[in-house]
Amino acid sequence: MTIIDPSAETLTIREMCDTYQVTARTLRFYEAKELLAPIRSRSKRLYTKQDRARLQLILRGKRFGFSLEDIRQLLDMYNRNGSNQAQLARTFDLGQDRLAQMKAQAAELQIAIAELEEELQGASAALAAFRAAAE
Amino acid sequence: MTIIDPSAETLTIREMCDTYQVTARTLRFYEAKELLAPIRSRSKRLYTKQDRARLQLILRGKRFGFSLEDIRQLLDMYNRNGSNQAQLARTFDLGQDRLAQMKAQAAELQIAIAELEEELQGASAALAAFRAAAE
DNA sequence: CGTTACATTTACGTTAACGTCAAGCACTCT
DNA sequence: AGAGTGCTTGACGTTAACGTAAATGTAACG
């Protein structure tokens, strides 16, 4: 028999919005894209702990510029959804590719940071000269 | 005979496309957005060495997810366009902010890389188990 | 039972960064 | 002169990730 679990730590859509700084539209949009699947209590959405974990992963993915479609596929891996070997192998490969991309991006980013710092050195010197002249 | 224009320090739009792997539409689009300003030889665009340098900066900026509008502002800094102190100071601040953002992004990226690597460890182990069972 | 306060669905609007025609010059070769 | 090619300027189309508005539902409060 299925117990309804009164201690259900579920959040309403509004509580989710406040907690994670997203709009209700965003949550429904993610659901439409099959990134989330909250339970429904008579036409209302209820977000479980798993839903919240998924949302956090989604938001983290977005911070790195991954598309929602990318994220949807990555979520499968994080969930070890790959119940069969072929599926698991595919998501594994996908993760490998992504990892390589991220490392490349990190390397480029380091270079860009160094270059920008150098630029700012020059700008800083120019500013100092200006201020000295304004004396 | 066709003169090859020995002093040709300029490239046509097509040569630019081939050299930098962008479409003509893209180059015209950047021009409309005031990121580029090639000279015109009787209704035709000619790209100078400076134009090419700018394009390279644009493309590099894009690789890091900067918007074209962001890039347009950064170009001002790279060009030391800030002929007056106020302008220079503003672009300098803009660069500072950008640098901070990039460093934060780099830090987050490192964390994400570590996490993803860990995930892949698990997935790899699961795959190995599968293959062993298939023996 | 009416009002207030959110929820939900449906659907059109928005922005960025181009893609994709369409129609017309301007050459150059034949 | 005619044909072909490349370049030009519109101008509408496209995708992602939501925003925003309208119409409707429902739950709790007094």
Side-chain angles (χ1 to χ4, degrees):
Chain A
M1 69 179 286
T2 57
I3 299 170
I4 307 174
D5 187 17
S7 72
E9 289 228 355
T10 66
L11 297 185
T12 73
I13 198 167
R14 204 47 58 181
E15 291 166 335
M16 288 290 282
C17 294
D18 296 346
T19 306
Y20 298 104
Q21 305 277 47
V22 295
T23 70
R25 176 68 178 95
T26 297
L27 292 174
R28 298 194 192 102
F29 182 75
Y30 290 168
E31 188 175 342
K33 291 284 177 177
E34 296 184 44
L35 290 169
L36 290 176
I39 57 180
R40 304 298 281 260
S41 164
R42 191 50 186 164
S43 97
K44 290 197 175 178
R45 292 171 173 82
L46 289 181
Y47 295 85
T48 70
K49 194 155 55 178
Q50 290 98 318
D51 292 325
R52 283 171 302 212
R54 285 180 74 90
L55 179 56
Q56 290 188 14
L57 289 174
I58 294 169
L59 296 178
R60 198 181 57 177
K62 275 180 58 63
R63 283 202 298 277
F64 299 114
F66 294 120
S67 75
L68 292 184
E69 177 54 27
D70 288 342
I71 292 171
R72 198 180 61 75
Q73 297 186 34
L74 282 173
L75 279 176
D76 289 344
M77 190 183 65
Y78 277 106
N79 284 349
R80 282 172 196 118
N81 179 358
S83 44
N84 64 65
Q85 185 185 5
Q87 172 69 8
L88 182 56
R90 207 181 63 78
T91 54
F92 179 70
D93 289 349
L94 209 155
Q96 294 269 57
D97 292 352
R98 189 69 59 196
L99 182 60
Q101 282 180 31
M102 288 167 68
K103 285 186 172 177
Q105 187 182 347
E108 280 191 279
L109 194 48
Q110 292 304 330
I111 293 173
I113 286 174
E115 288 178 3
L116 187 50
E117 272 177 336
E118 202 168 345
E119 267 326 299
L120 289 175
Q121 285 295 331
S124 174
L127 263 180
F130 260 115
R131 292 202 231 279
E135 188 55 11
Chain B
M1 71 181 276
T2 56
I3 299 172
I4 308 176
D5 188 15
S7 69
E9 289 273 332
T10 67
L11 296 186
T12 73
I13 198 169
R14 202 49 57 181
E15 291 166 336
M16 287 290 282
C17 294
D18 296 346
T19 305
Y20 298 104
Q21 305 279 44
V22 295
T23 70
R25 177 68 177 94
T26 297
L27 292 174
R28 298 194 192 103
F29 182 75
Y30 290 167
E31 187 175 343
K33 291 286 176 176
E34 296 184 43
L35 290 169
L36 291 175
I39 57 180
R40 304 298 281 260
S41 165
R42 189 51 186 164
S43 97
K44 290 195 176 179
R45 292 171 174 81
L46 290 180
Y47 295 85
T48 70
K49 195 157 52 178
Q50 289 99 317
D51 292 323
R52 281 169 276 173
R54 286 180 74 90
L55 179 57
Q56 289 187 14
L57 289 174
I58 294 169
L59 296 178
R60 198 182 56 178
K62 275 180 58 62
R63 283 202 299 277
F64 299 113
F66 295 120
S67 74
L68 292 183
E69 178 54 28
D70 289 342
I71 293 171
R72 198 180 60 75
Q73 297 186 34
L74 282 173
L75 279 176
D76 288 346
M77 190 183 67
Y78 277 107
N79 283 350
R80 274 160 203 133
N81 179 358
S83 42
N84 64 65
Q85 185 184 7
Q87 171 71 6
L88 182 56
R90 206 180 64 79
T91 54
F92 179 69
D93 289 349
L94 209 155
Q96 294 270 57
D97 293 351
R98 188 69 59 196
L99 182 59
Q101 282 180 31
M102 287 168 68
K103 284 186 173 177
Q105 186 181 347
E108 281 191 278
L109 194 49
Q110 292 304 330
I111 293 173
I113 285 174
E115 289 178 2
L116 187 49
E117 272 178 336
E118 202 169 345
E119 274 315 310
L120 288 175
Q121 285 295 330
S124 174
L127 264 180
F130 259 115
R131 292 202 231 277
E135 190 54 12

